Amino acid sequence: MKTKAAFFDIDGTIFRNSLMIEHFQKLITFEVIDPEVWYTKVKRVYLEWEKRYGDFEEYLEILAGVYLDELKGFDKSYIEYIADHVIKSNGDMIYKYSRNQIEYHKKQNHKVFFISGSPDFLVSRMAEKYKATDFRGSIYKVDSQNRFTGEIVKMWDSESKQRELNNLIKVYDVDLENSYAYGDTTGDFSMLKMIGNPVAINPNIDLLLSIREDEELSKKATIIVERKNVIYKLDPNIELL
């Protein structure tokens, strides 16, 4: 019998922020990154997003580039030590709906997979905390001395997630039609399209429109919006303002 599974993106789907953003801020606290880097390279686009003039994806992309540059040359063990602090202090900052769904799938003996664009050393710790079966994250390469090289194998785009999803499906012999997928951006589109029970959690406008434009996906997808202490279950064709 094939395996039933649930595939979860993390940032914005389970976690109410970005693991990389939280780690970036901790790296400043631990004096790995100079606070001046934030003010000169990131703050402007962050404020644009916070005021709802800018786009979160643009903010995250800029921060990701700075993050990668700043890690170069640092020993991975120390960066992982700081990652432990991120999970300890922020690991419970997740959506209620997502927490309930993770528990539901585990009780049903479904395999639970985390697939995220965040660094694998952060994703691994979230996977351990929530007892996921397996995980995939962006790989930040290190040299022979365990120091970051500034090279990355990314996992935040749809094609990369598709590749790793295919690997997990093959390794665990997953029943696609009776499995579940949860995501929030267009990076999760291919994952949602492949799986029989796709759920978009607080989707951005690009993902929602992509779902609506795909006839097959629009018929089977569920839209979940969690705001304050209310969880809404919506049809993909809900009126937009």
Side-chain angles (χ1 to χ4, degrees), residues 28-46:
I28 293 175
T29 301
F30 279 78
E31 300 182 347
V32 171
I33 295 178
D34 189 326
E36 187 67 18
V37 171
W38 167 263
Y39 290 107
T40 59
K41 298 183 179 180
V42 181
K43 185 178 179 181
R44 180 194 61 79
V45 70
Y46 164 73

Side-chain angles (χ1 to χ4, degrees), residues 145-163:
Q145 295 180 310
N146 204 37
R147 295 183 180 276
F148 289 105
T149 65
E151 298 175 286
I152 186 175
V153 179
K154 64 181 181 179
M155 189 61 64
W156 53 73
D157 62 293
S158 188
E159 292 77 14
S160 298
K161 286 194 173 183
Q162 174 84 62
R163 182 184 65 246

Side-chain angles (χ1 to χ4, degrees), residues 59-229:
Y59 159 49
L60 195 59
E61 183 177 350
I62 290 174
L63 184 135
V66 175
Y67 177 85
L68 182 62
D69 288 341
E70 292 298 317
L71 285 183
K72 188 175 181 179
F74 277 96
D75 185 272
K76 184 178 181 181
S77 299
Y78 184 56
I79 300 303
E80 289 181 319
Y81 166 75
I82 300 172
D84 287 330
H85 283 264
V86 172
I87 303 305
K88 183 177 180 180
S89 59
N90 301 101
D92 291 317
M93 195 175 74
I94 69 174
Y95 289 109
K96 181 178 180 180
Y97 175 82
S98 301
R99 180 188 293 115
N100 291 344
Q101 289 305 107
I102 291 171
E103 290 305 313
Y104 164 78
H105 290 298
K106 289 194 294 187
K107 288 178 180 178
Q108 297 298 315
N109 293 318
H110 297 167
K111 302 294 185 185
V112 174
F113 302 112
F114 288 178
I115 304 181
S116 173
S118 279
D120 58 350
F121 50 84
L122 287 165
V123 176
S124 66
R125 285 157 171 79
M126 280 294 278
E128 180 180 4
K129 179 177 177 63
Y130 291 100
K131 297 180 172 59
T133 307
D134 206 342
F135 69 91
R136 297 291 187 274
S138 295
I139 300 171
Y140 285 65
K141 293 184 177 182
V142 295
D143 60 21
S144 59
Q145 295 180 310
N146 204 37
R147 295 183 180 276
F148 289 105
T149 65
E151 298 175 286
I152 186 175
V153 179
K154 64 181 181 179
M155 189 61 64
W156 53 73
D157 62 293
S158 188
E159 292 77 14
S160 298
K161 286 194 173 183
Q162 174 84 62
R163 182 184 65 246
E164 292 305 319
L165 183 68
N166 288 338
N167 289 338
L168 289 169
I169 288 168
K170 182 177 180 180
V171 169
Y172 290 93
D173 194 23
V174 173
D175 178 354
L176 295 179
E177 185 60 33
N178 291 299
S179 290
Y180 298 74
Y182 302 85
D184 72 313
T185 68
T186 50
D188 304 308
F189 180 78
S190 61
M191 180 173 74
L192 296 174
K193 187 172 173 60
M194 283 185 67
I195 303 299
N197 299 284
V199 181
I201 300 177
N202 299 321
N204 65 10
I205 187 64
D206 292 332
L207 177 59
L208 181 57
L209 293 178
S210 294
I211 291 173
R212 290 166 66 145
E213 291 166 2
D214 187 292
E215 183 177 357
E216 180 184 359
L217 184 54
S218 66
K219 290 179 181 178
K220 64 180 183 177
T222 298
I223 309 299
I224 296 293
V225 174
E226 182 172 330
R227 296 290 296 167
K228 296 184 171 66
N229 61 347

